[in-house]
Amino acid sequence: MMDNLSSHHNAQMVALIYAAGHRLVFRAPYYPVDGPIEYVFNTIQGILRIRMDAINDGPSLLNELNLAIASIPSFEPYFVNCGFWRN
């Protein structure tokens, strides 16, 4: 079973899998709207990209990651944006 990454649809790779006697099943497409965590990860990744010059080892990465997470004032908007309404 594979996800729908474009490289997984390579005709040569698919042929090799079938030639080895295996079958190939692709998962249903995944949409980020299904999970607010995707938006949170994108936000954190964007912050880390901006701060790449400050990251040069494991401890500095952990420090910048903590700062990135702390800079997000609330996670609620990510859930609301994905259809999880606050009661």
Side-chain angles (χ1 to χ4, degrees):
M1 180 174 279
M2 293 190 179
D3 61 20
N4 284 294
L5 185 66
S6 61
S7 64
H8 294 161
H9 290 274
N10 177 286
Q12 184 178 8
M13 186 195 69
V14 171
L16 288 170
I17 290 170
Y18 283 121
H22 301 284
R23 67 186 184 126
L24 188 55
V25 177
F26 288 100
R27 297 178 60 184
Y30 174 77
Y31 298 99
V33 76
D34 293 338
I37 195 67
E38 296 294 333
Y39 293 108
V40 173
F41 286 154
N42 284 340
T43 301
I44 293 169
Q45 184 179 22
I47 294 168
L48 291 177
R49 277 193 192 122
I50 293 169
R51 301 287 299 151
M52 282 301 271
D53 60 321
I55 300 170
N56 51 25
D57 58 12
S60 63
L61 172 61
L62 185 58
N63 182 58
E64 292 300 322
L65 183 58
N66 286 329
L67 291 172
I69 294 169
S71 74
I72 300 172
S74 171
F75 292 100
E76 183 178 334
Y78 295 99
F79 288 88
V80 171
N81 186 50
C82 293
F84 296 95
W85 303 108
R86 184 176 178 190
N87 293 328

